[in-house]
Amino acid sequence: MLGDFMYCSPVRVYFGRKCMRRLSRELAPYKSVLLIYGTGSIKKNGIYDQIREILDLSGCRVREFAGVRPNPDRDCLYRAVSAAREFHPDLILAAGGGSVCDLAKAVSVSIYCREDPWQRYYLQMKKPDCPVVPVGCIPTTAGTGSEMNGCAVISDPERQLKIGHVFGDDVYPRFALINPAYTLTLNRQQTACGIFDIMTHLCEQYFSGKDDCATDYMIEGLMRSLINSSRAVMADPSDYEARSNIMWISSIALSTLLSKGKKTDWMLHMVAQAVGACTDAAHGSTLSALAMPYYRFIYSAGIGRFVRFAVNVWGIRTDQVIYPGADLYEGNEKMPDAEELARRGLDCMEQWMKELGLVMSLSQLGVTEDMYPDILRGIKITKGGYRRLTKDDVIRLLKAAD
């Protein structure tokens, strides 16, 4: 590993079927709790009743902010902040998917912000200069990993922007109660989109750098586990073991652990978020529509890593002796089967995506060529991937994904 880094994870994680028993202990230091949740699924599956019973027994004052939809927008943030300022919570408890957790973190840095939080945090990308209210998360989906990091994504539909701000350690949730059984009620499409979101989080970190980084060996193992568990859960949606693997990989994938010693890419996410801002499509679908055209565009610039991906993740064999994990082709990219191996690995990924029933083109999301200027306007070009895209490259990518 060639990179220098600091790693800290302040999140206390309780994992498994019995994790809700820990909520009362986590509530002990607090007197007032703002409970944030979505459009009602936690009431249908009984999670809401469990949480309210524990909150009521804790003696905390409680106020609810409900109705958070996927891709929370600026107006939703303003409403939640207004409710929080009236109530003065000393804990924000998020129960729901990644959007709910993201909103809770955005509210946590906004309650005592003296400026417009959208302007300060999302347009100017400034750090908080005010007290941050602690957050706790009870995730009910697997995909975003929002319960294990300090990132909060907020949209502005009017300006067609979708922006993620990666805040510091003080914005990380203080605790996360992760029960894989809470994902049993997700339908097939929701499950598949979450799985692919996880895979892209792994890929964005894996497809960068050319050194022998220990982190990459970890990512390869997580990818194999995710693929295996995805097939198990698609065959049997009630498979708790498969869902537990998927949910834990989801949390680890974006906990910042796997980015250590890495440059990381995130260009795929930048384009997907811009598409999402213009279509309000599910995040996993925007990623799946763009993934194969993007990776086929960049693979030749990182051929060694894509060969590793083919061999160590998808199990493709070759007559060449390949050390498990070693970048055999780095500096020797002209070996005759390197290109073929890399392409075969991407072909395997594409076939797996089709098995999951994912969206495979932007046209399925309603994207038309006249939307390209708005999509381009919302894209931030990143530097860490194997190729730094130009605006013309992005246009070619969008057309290839059509």
mmCIF file with all atom_site columns, all heavy atoms in Angstrom, residues 285-286 288-290 293 353 358-367 398 400-402:
data_model
loop_
_atom_site.group_PDB
_atom_site.id
_atom_site.type_symbol
_atom_site.label_atom_id
_atom_site.label_alt_id
_atom_site.label_comp_id
_atom_site.label_asym_id
_atom_site.label_entity_id
_atom_site.label_seq_id
_atom_site.pdbx_PDB_ins_code
_atom_site.Cartn_x
_atom_site.Cartn_y
_atom_site.Cartn_z
_atom_site.occupancy
_atom_site.B_iso_or_equiv
_atom_site.pdbx_formal_charge
_atom_site.auth_seq_id
_atom_site.auth_comp_id
_atom_site.auth_asym_id
_atom_site.auth_atom_id
_atom_site.pdbx_PDB_model_num
ATOM 1   N N   . SER A 1 285 ? -30.837 2.136  -10.321 1.00 0.00 ? 285 SER A N   1
ATOM 2   C CA  . SER A 1 285 ? -31.153 2.024  -11.746 1.00 0.00 ? 285 SER A CA  1
ATOM 3   C C   . SER A 1 285 ? -30.291 2.953  -12.591 1.00 0.00 ? 285 SER A C   1
ATOM 4   O O   . SER A 1 285 ? -29.894 2.591  -13.705 1.00 0.00 ? 285 SER A O   1
ATOM 5   C CB  . SER A 1 285 ? -32.632 2.324  -11.979 1.00 0.00 ? 285 SER A CB  1
ATOM 6   O OG  . SER A 1 285 ? -33.452 1.335  -11.393 1.00 0.00 ? 285 SER A OG  1
ATOM 7   N N   . THR A 1 286 ? -30.017 4.148  -12.093 1.00 0.00 ? 286 THR A N   1
ATOM 8   C CA  . THR A 1 286 ? -29.143 5.047  -12.854 1.00 0.00 ? 286 THR A CA  1
ATOM 9   C C   . THR A 1 286 ? -27.736 4.472  -12.929 1.00 0.00 ? 286 THR A C   1
ATOM 10  O O   . THR A 1 286 ? -27.058 4.582  -13.964 1.00 0.00 ? 286 THR A O   1
ATOM 11  C CB  . THR A 1 286 ? -29.104 6.454  -12.237 1.00 0.00 ? 286 THR A CB  1
ATOM 12  O OG1 . THR A 1 286 ? -28.605 6.393  -10.887 1.00 0.00 ? 286 THR A OG1 1
ATOM 13  C CG2 . THR A 1 286 ? -30.490 7.089  -12.216 1.00 0.00 ? 286 THR A CG2 1
ATOM 14  N N   . SER A 1 288 ? -26.938 1.184  -12.815 1.00 0.00 ? 288 SER A N   1
ATOM 15  C CA  . SER A 1 288 ? -26.908 -0.005 -13.673 1.00 0.00 ? 288 SER A CA  1
ATOM 16  C C   . SER A 1 288 ? -27.011 0.367  -15.149 1.00 0.00 ? 288 SER A C   1
ATOM 17  O O   . SER A 1 288 ? -26.438 -0.313 -16.007 1.00 0.00 ? 288 SER A O   1
ATOM 18  C CB  . SER A 1 288 ? -28.029 -0.978 -13.285 1.00 0.00 ? 288 SER A CB  1
ATOM 19  O OG  . SER A 1 288 ? -29.312 -0.410 -13.479 1.00 0.00 ? 288 SER A OG  1
ATOM 20  N N   . ALA A 1 289 ? -27.719 1.446  -15.462 1.00 0.00 ? 289 ALA A N   1
ATOM 21  C CA  . ALA A 1 289 ? -27.830 1.873  -16.854 1.00 0.00 ? 289 ALA A CA  1
ATOM 22  C C   . ALA A 1 289 ? -26.498 2.355  -17.413 1.00 0.00 ? 289 ALA A C   1
ATOM 23  O O   . ALA A 1 289 ? -26.231 2.235  -18.611 1.00 0.00 ? 289 ALA A O   1
ATOM 24  C CB  . ALA A 1 289 ? -28.880 2.978  -16.975 1.00 0.00 ? 289 ALA A CB  1
ATOM 25  N N   . LEU A 1 290 ? -25.657 2.898  -16.552 1.00 0.00 ? 290 LEU A N   1
ATOM 26  C CA  . LEU A 1 290 ? -24.400 3.511  -16.991 1.00 0.00 ? 290 LEU A CA  1
ATOM 27  C C   . LEU A 1 290 ? -23.173 2.628  -16.790 1.00 0.00 ? 290 LEU A C   1
ATOM 28  O O   . LEU A 1 290 ? -22.127 2.859  -17.411 1.00 0.00 ? 290 LEU A O   1
ATOM 29  C CB  . LEU A 1 290 ? -24.178 4.819  -16.218 1.00 0.00 ? 290 LEU A CB  1
ATOM 30  C CG  . LEU A 1 290 ? -25.107 5.982  -16.561 1.00 0.00 ? 290 LEU A CG  1
ATOM 31  C CD1 . LEU A 1 290 ? -25.147 6.982  -15.410 1.00 0.00 ? 290 LEU A CD1 1
ATOM 32  C CD2 . LEU A 1 290 ? -24.653 6.662  -17.845 1.00 0.00 ? 290 LEU A CD2 1
ATOM 33  N N   . PRO A 1 293 ? -21.319 0.647  -20.000 1.00 0.00 ? 293 PRO A N   1
ATOM 34  C CA  . PRO A 1 293 ? -20.647 1.572  -20.928 1.00 0.00 ? 293 PRO A CA  1
ATOM 35  C C   . PRO A 1 293 ? -19.457 2.282  -20.274 1.00 0.00 ? 293 PRO A C   1
ATOM 36  O O   . PRO A 1 293 ? -18.423 2.479  -20.936 1.00 0.00 ? 293 PRO A O   1
ATOM 37  C CB  . PRO A 1 293 ? -21.758 2.571  -21.274 1.00 0.00 ? 293 PRO A CB  1
ATOM 38  C CG  . PRO A 1 293 ? -23.015 1.802  -21.109 1.00 0.00 ? 293 PRO A CG  1
ATOM 39  C CD  . PRO A 1 293 ? -22.766 0.896  -19.932 1.00 0.00 ? 293 PRO A CD  1
ATOM 40  N N   . MET A 1 353 ? -25.832 -8.793 -13.969 1.00 0.00 ? 353 MET A N   1
ATOM 41  C CA  . MET A 1 353 ? -26.786 -7.691 -13.867 1.00 0.00 ? 353 MET A CA  1
ATOM 42  C C   . MET A 1 353 ? -28.120 -8.053 -14.509 1.00 0.00 ? 353 MET A C   1
ATOM 43  O O   . MET A 1 353 ? -29.191 -7.727 -13.984 1.00 0.00 ? 353 MET A O   1
ATOM 44  C CB  . MET A 1 353 ? -26.199 -6.440 -14.520 1.00 0.00 ? 353 MET A CB  1
ATOM 45  C CG  . MET A 1 353 ? -25.013 -5.851 -13.775 1.00 0.00 ? 353 MET A CG  1
ATOM 46  S SD  . MET A 1 353 ? -24.155 -4.583 -14.746 1.00 0.00 ? 353 MET A SD  1
ATOM 47  C CE  . MET A 1 353 ? -25.416 -3.307 -14.846 1.00 0.00 ? 353 MET A CE  1
ATOM 48  N N   . LEU A 1 358 ? -31.899 -5.865 -13.711 1.00 0.00 ? 358 LEU A N   1
ATOM 49  C CA  . LEU A 1 358 ? -31.627 -4.443 -13.562 1.00 0.00 ? 358 LEU A CA  1
ATOM 50  C C   . LEU A 1 358 ? -31.893 -3.673 -14.851 1.00 0.00 ? 358 LEU A C   1
ATOM 51  O O   . LEU A 1 358 ? -31.882 -4.230 -15.948 1.00 0.00 ? 358 LEU A O   1
ATOM 52  C CB  . LEU A 1 358 ? -30.164 -4.238 -13.147 1.00 0.00 ? 358 LEU A CB  1
ATOM 53  C CG  . LEU A 1 358 ? -29.797 -4.727 -11.756 1.00 0.00 ? 358 LEU A CG  1
ATOM 54  C CD1 . LEU A 1 358 ? -28.282 -4.851 -11.611 1.00 0.00 ? 358 LEU A CD1 1
ATOM 55  C CD2 . LEU A 1 358 ? -30.348 -3.784 -10.688 1.00 0.00 ? 358 LEU A CD2 1
ATOM 56  N N   . VAL A 1 359 ? -32.136 -2.389 -14.703 1.00 0.00 ? 359 VAL A N   1
ATOM 57  C CA  . VAL A 1 359 ? -32.229 -1.486 -15.847 1.00 0.00 ? 359 VAL A CA  1
ATOM 58  C C   . VAL A 1 359 ? -30.868 -1.448 -16.539 1.00 0.00 ? 359 VAL A C   1
ATOM 59  O O   . VAL A 1 359 ? -29.837 -1.257 -15.884 1.00 0.00 ? 359 VAL A O   1
ATOM 60  C CB  . VAL A 1 359 ? -32.642 -0.073 -15.391 1.00 0.00 ? 359 VAL A CB  1
ATOM 61  C CG1 . VAL A 1 359 ? -32.453 0.946  -16.512 1.00 0.00 ? 359 VAL A CG1 1
ATOM 62  C CG2 . VAL A 1 359 ? -34.086 -0.074 -14.905 1.00 0.00 ? 359 VAL A CG2 1
ATOM 63  N N   . MET A 1 360 ? -30.860 -1.600 -17.859 1.00 0.00 ? 360 MET A N   1
ATOM 64  C CA  . MET A 1 360 ? -29.596 -1.685 -18.583 1.00 0.00 ? 360 MET A CA  1
ATOM 65  C C   . MET A 1 360 ? -29.403 -0.560 -19.592 1.00 0.00 ? 360 MET A C   1
ATOM 66  O O   . MET A 1 360 ? -28.429 -0.565 -20.339 1.00 0.00 ? 360 MET A O   1
ATOM 67  C CB  . MET A 1 360 ? -29.491 -3.040 -19.292 1.00 0.00 ? 360 MET A CB  1
ATOM 68  C CG  . MET A 1 360 ? -29.516 -4.250 -18.365 1.00 0.00 ? 360 MET A CG  1
ATOM 69  S SD  . MET A 1 360 ? -28.152 -4.303 -17.165 1.00 0.00 ? 360 MET A SD  1
ATOM 70  C CE  . MET A 1 360 ? -26.756 -4.623 -18.239 1.00 0.00 ? 360 MET A CE  1
ATOM 71  N N   . SER A 1 361 ? -30.303 0.406  -19.647 1.00 0.00 ? 361 SER A N   1
ATOM 72  C CA  . SER A 1 361 ? -30.128 1.526  -20.573 1.00 0.00 ? 361 SER A CA  1
ATOM 73  C C   . SER A 1 361 ? -30.814 2.764  -20.026 1.00 0.00 ? 361 SER A C   1
ATOM 74  O O   . SER A 1 361 ? -31.791 2.677  -19.274 1.00 0.00 ? 361 SER A O   1
ATOM 75  C CB  . SER A 1 361 ? -30.694 1.189  -21.949 1.00 0.00 ? 361 SER A CB  1
ATOM 76  O OG  . SER A 1 361 ? -32.109 1.167  -21.913 1.00 0.00 ? 361 SER A OG  1
ATOM 77  N N   . LEU A 1 362 ? -30.297 3.924  -20.408 1.00 0.00 ? 362 LEU A N   1
ATOM 78  C CA  . LEU A 1 362 ? -30.880 5.191  -19.969 1.00 0.00 ? 362 LEU A CA  1
ATOM 79  C C   . LEU A 1 362 ? -32.255 5.425  -20.575 1.00 0.00 ? 362 LEU A C   1
ATOM 80  O O   . LEU A 1 362 ? -33.095 6.102  -19.966 1.00 0.00 ? 362 LEU A O   1
ATOM 81  C CB  . LEU A 1 362 ? -29.947 6.344  -20.338 1.00 0.00 ? 362 LEU A CB  1
ATOM 82  C CG  . LEU A 1 362 ? -28.622 6.425  -19.572 1.00 0.00 ? 362 LEU A CG  1
ATOM 83  C CD1 . LEU A 1 362 ? -27.783 7.585  -20.093 1.00 0.00 ? 362 LEU A CD1 1
ATOM 84  C CD2 . LEU A 1 362 ? -28.856 6.584  -18.071 1.00 0.00 ? 362 LEU A CD2 1
ATOM 85  N N   . SER A 1 363 ? -32.506 4.884  -21.759 1.00 0.00 ? 363 SER A N   1
ATOM 86  C CA  . SER A 1 363 ? -33.818 5.072  -22.372 1.00 0.00 ? 363 SER A CA  1
ATOM 87  C C   . SER A 1 363 ? -34.922 4.457  -21.512 1.00 0.00 ? 363 SER A C   1
ATOM 88  O O   . SER A 1 363 ? -36.060 4.947  -21.511 1.00 0.00 ? 363 SER A O   1
ATOM 89  C CB  . SER A 1 363 ? -33.837 4.469  -23.780 1.00 0.00 ? 363 SER A CB  1
ATOM 90  O OG  . SER A 1 363 ? -33.539 3.087  -23.746 1.00 0.00 ? 363 SER A OG  1
ATOM 91  N N   . GLN A 1 364 ? -34.598 3.410  -20.761 1.00 0.00 ? 364 GLN A N   1
ATOM 92  C CA  . GLN A 1 364 ? -35.578 2.809  -19.851 1.00 0.00 ? 364 GLN A CA  1
ATOM 93  C C   . GLN A 1 364 ? -35.947 3.765  -18.722 1.00 0.00 ? 364 GLN A C   1
ATOM 94  O O   . GLN A 1 364 ? -36.988 3.598  -18.089 1.00 0.00 ? 364 GLN A O   1
ATOM 95  C CB  . GLN A 1 364 ? -35.024 1.512  -19.263 1.00 0.00 ? 364 GLN A CB  1
ATOM 96  C CG  . GLN A 1 364 ? -34.876 0.381  -20.263 1.00 0.00 ? 364 GLN A CG  1
ATOM 97  C CD  . GLN A 1 364 ? -34.245 -0.851 -19.627 1.00 0.00 ? 364 GLN A CD  1
ATOM 98  O OE1 . GLN A 1 364 ? -33.042 -1.096 -19.760 1.00 0.00 ? 364 GLN A OE1 1
ATOM 99  N NE2 . GLN A 1 364 ? -35.041 -1.629 -18.933 1.00 0.00 ? 364 GLN A NE2 1
ATOM 100 N N   . LEU A 1 365 ? -35.103 4.758  -18.465 1.00 0.00 ? 365 LEU A N   1
ATOM 101 C CA  . LEU A 1 365 ? -35.365 5.743  -17.410 1.00 0.00 ? 365 LEU A CA  1
ATOM 102 C C   . LEU A 1 365 ? -35.962 7.034  -17.979 1.00 0.00 ? 365 LEU A C   1
ATOM 103 O O   . LEU A 1 365 ? -36.162 7.995  -17.236 1.00 0.00 ? 365 LEU A O   1
ATOM 104 C CB  . LEU A 1 365 ? -34.061 6.069  -16.675 1.00 0.00 ? 365 LEU A CB  1
ATOM 105 C CG  . LEU A 1 365 ? -33.331 4.883  -16.047 1.00 0.00 ? 365 LEU A CG  1
ATOM 106 C CD1 . LEU A 1 365 ? -32.026 5.346  -15.389 1.00 0.00 ? 365 LEU A CD1 1
ATOM 107 C CD2 . LEU A 1 365 ? -34.210 4.167  -15.028 1.00 0.00 ? 365 LEU A CD2 1
ATOM 108 N N   . GLY A 1 366 ? -36.213 7.044  -19.279 1.00 0.00 ? 366 GLY A N   1
ATOM 109 C CA  . GLY A 1 366 ? -36.805 8.222  -19.890 1.00 0.00 ? 366 GLY A CA  1
ATOM 110 C C   . GLY A 1 366 ? -35.812 9.294  -20.295 1.00 0.00 ? 366 GLY A C   1
ATOM 111 O O   . GLY A 1 366 ? -36.200 10.436 -20.581 1.00 0.00 ? 366 GLY A O   1
ATOM 112 N N   . VAL A 1 367 ? -34.525 8.962  -20.328 1.00 0.00 ? 367 VAL A N   1
ATOM 113 C CA  . VAL A 1 367 ? -33.504 9.943  -20.707 1.00 0.00 ? 367 VAL A CA  1
ATOM 114 C C   . VAL A 1 367 ? -33.516 10.122 -22.212 1.00 0.00 ? 367 VAL A C   1
ATOM 115 O O   . VAL A 1 367 ? -33.487 9.152  -22.973 1.00 0.00 ? 367 VAL A O   1
ATOM 116 C CB  . VAL A 1 367 ? -32.105 9.500  -20.240 1.00 0.00 ? 367 VAL A CB  1
ATOM 117 C CG1 . VAL A 1 367 ? -31.038 10.464 -20.743 1.00 0.00 ? 367 VAL A CG1 1
ATOM 118 C CG2 . VAL A 1 367 ? -32.065 9.414  -18.721 1.00 0.00 ? 367 VAL A CG2 1
ATOM 119 N N   . LEU A 1 398 ? -23.052 8.773  -22.308 1.00 0.00 ? 398 LEU A N   1
ATOM 120 C CA  . LEU A 1 398 ? -24.520 8.837  -22.271 1.00 0.00 ? 398 LEU A CA  1
ATOM 121 C C   . LEU A 1 398 ? -25.115 8.194  -23.522 1.00 0.00 ? 398 LEU A C   1
ATOM 122 O O   . LEU A 1 398 ? -26.121 7.472  -23.438 1.00 0.00 ? 398 LEU A O   1
ATOM 123 C CB  . LEU A 1 398 ? -24.977 10.282 -22.150 1.00 0.00 ? 398 LEU A CB  1
ATOM 124 C CG  . LEU A 1 398 ? -24.618 11.008 -20.831 1.00 0.00 ? 398 LEU A CG  1
ATOM 125 C CD1 . LEU A 1 398 ? -24.984 12.478 -20.915 1.00 0.00 ? 398 LEU A CD1 1
ATOM 126 C CD2 . LEU A 1 398 ? -25.315 10.357 -19.645 1.00 0.00 ? 398 LEU A CD2 1
ATOM 127 N N   . ALA A 1 400 ? -23.700 5.871  -25.372 1.00 0.00 ? 400 ALA A N   1
ATOM 128 C CA  . ALA A 1 400 ? -23.444 4.439  -25.304 1.00 0.00 ? 400 ALA A CA  1
ATOM 129 C C   . ALA A 1 400 ? -24.413 3.735  -24.353 1.00 0.00 ? 400 ALA A C   1
ATOM 130 O O   . ALA A 1 400 ? -24.707 2.546  -24.517 1.00 0.00 ? 400 ALA A O   1
ATOM 131 C CB  . ALA A 1 400 ? -22.002 4.179  -24.876 1.00 0.00 ? 400 ALA A CB  1
ATOM 132 N N   . ALA A 1 401 ? -24.903 4.472  -23.367 1.00 0.00 ? 401 ALA A N   1
ATOM 133 C CA  . ALA A 1 401 ? -25.829 3.897  -22.378 1.00 0.00 ? 401 ALA A CA  1
ATOM 134 C C   . ALA A 1 401 ? -27.276 4.006  -22.795 1.00 0.00 ? 401 ALA A C   1
ATOM 135 O O   . ALA A 1 401 ? -28.164 3.542  -22.087 1.00 0.00 ? 401 ALA A O   1
ATOM 136 C CB  . ALA A 1 401 ? -25.631 4.604  -21.030 1.00 0.00 ? 401 ALA A CB  1
ATOM 137 N N   . ASP A 1 402 ? -27.538 4.613  -23.943 1.00 0.00 ? 402 ASP A N   1
ATOM 138 C CA  . ASP A 1 402 ? -28.906 4.847  -24.392 1.00 0.00 ? 402 ASP A CA  1
ATOM 139 C C   . ASP A 1 402 ? -29.607 3.529  -24.745 1.00 0.00 ? 402 ASP A C   1
ATOM 140 O O   . ASP A 1 402 ? -29.003 2.672  -25.368 1.00 0.00 ? 402 ASP A O   1
ATOM 141 C CB  . ASP A 1 402 ? -28.905 5.791  -25.595 1.00 0.00 ? 402 ASP A CB  1
ATOM 142 C CG  . ASP A 1 402 ? -30.305 6.220  -25.981 1.00 0.00 ? 402 ASP A CG  1
ATOM 143 O OD1 . ASP A 1 402 ? -31.223 6.034  -25.180 1.00 0.00 ? 402 ASP A OD1 1
ATOM 144 O OD2 . ASP A 1 402 ? -30.466 6.727  -27.103 1.00 0.00 ? 402 ASP A OD2 1
#
